[in-house]
Amino acid sequence: MSTLLLVPGAGGRAWYWHRLVPELASRGHRAVAVDLPAGDDAAGLERYAAVATAALDAAAGSPRDDDGDGDVVVVGQSMGGLTAPLVAARRPVRLLVLLNAMVPRPGETGGEWWEAVGQAAARAELARAQGRPEDDVDSDFSHDVPPEVWAAGADEPFAQSGTPFAEPWPLRAWPDVSTRVLAGRDDRFFPPALQRRVARERLGLDVDEVPGGHLCALSRPAELAERLDGLVRETTRPHA
């Protein structure tokens, strides 16, 4: 069994992962979905990393398995790409997975990231190519999420402070952890072409596509769980 720490994007809600958690459990994994202090203007990236790390420690008892090697997978979605590597730098982690995620450079703020990677232009280009309005941001997130799930999400409190976006990303280099990049093939907010370019330029990595859009843990949880389970099996050393 592996422990998967699930770090959400903007809004910081563990609720985002609620459809994925049972799918991972059914495949024999412990899933830890994190609530981040997204509504707290005093909380920056270091606080986010501390909260996520504490959630991991509380759930797993220890971030190490019996043979002393960290059997932990950290998954960061969207804005969670700023926090997930910070956790991987604090604890033994077998695998870091970026899911439709921001990939920061050392010293770059989250606010600078958007223009630096050309997110707005990539999003608009895809909308034009698909014959969609360029300003329909809600549909970028909701287009493939079941209506009843999207409606339930509207009942969940949402807030996101600008503080983490204003801070330079604190690591001097990407953590020395095996990293995989997953992109929803129907992501309208971070189009796959954008994710492929950013992953190649910033990490020297290819991108694996998974079914679904930007919120694929809500729209295609079974397929996402299957892909994560496959990554774990590829990277986890069997116990003797």
Side-chain angles (χ1 to χ4, degrees):
M1 176 180 69
S2 294
T3 297
L4 283 85
L5 181 71
L6 307 176
V7 182
R13 298 183 294 179
W15 177 88
Y16 168 70
W17 303 106
H18 78 281
R19 301 190 76 203
L20 180 67
V21 168
E23 294 287 349
L24 291 172
S26 72
R27 290 163 175 79
H29 304 294
R30 176 194 290 117
V32 181
V34 181
D35 268 315
L36 296 175
D40 184 354
D41 286 334
L45 291 175
E46 291 291 349
R47 174 80 183 283
Y48 282 33
V51 169
T53 303
L56 172 63
D57 293 349
S62 167
R64 296 174 180 268
D65 58 22
D66 291 339
D67 67 1
D69 193 8
D71 195 13
V72 172
V73 176
V74 180
V75 183
Q77 188 265 344
S78 195
M79 181 190 172
L82 304 180
T83 302
L86 305 184
V87 178
R90 293 178 176 218
R91 290 291 185 272
V93 169
R94 194 180 296 280
L95 180 66
L96 176 59
V97 180
L98 301 174
L99 174 63
N100 294 328
M102 300 172 72
V103 181
R105 281 182 169 147
E108 179 182 69
T109 70
E112 293 168 340
W113 179 89
W114 306 86
E115 185 174 354
V117 303
Q119 184 270 346
R123 176 182 163 272
E125 181 181 358
L126 180 62
R128 289 193 297 270
Q130 295 180 342
R132 299 184 285 103
E134 296 178 25
D135 59 352
D136 190 0
V137 178
D138 278 352
S139 75
D140 287 352
F141 295 100
S142 66
H143 68 95
D144 68 331
V145 178
E148 66 278 9
V149 175
W150 187 253
D155 294 334
E156 293 285 318
F158 181 93
Q160 178 57 61
S161 167
T163 299
F165 288 105
E167 297 179 342
W169 195 63
L171 296 184
R172 294 184 178 181
W174 197 257
D176 185 18
V177 174
S178 179
T179 302
R180 298 292 293 269
V181 183
L182 299 182
R185 67 172 57 103
D186 298 317
D187 193 339
R188 296 178 177 180
F189 194 60
F190 293 172
L194 169 71
Q195 296 194 53
R196 284 192 292 271
R197 173 170 54 79
V198 172
R200 182 175 61 252
E201 292 175 353
R202 298 194 165 198
L203 299 176
L205 295 176
D206 294 326
V207 169
D208 293 332
E209 290 191 357
V210 294
H214 194 68
L215 304 181
C216 55
L218 290 176
S219 64
R220 306 293 286 272
E223 293 92 333
L224 178 56
E226 194 67 20
R227 187 68 188 104
L228 291 171
D229 178 65
L231 290 179
V232 169
R233 293 177 185 279
E234 290 170 16
T235 58
T236 299
R237 175 166 52 83
H239 291 277

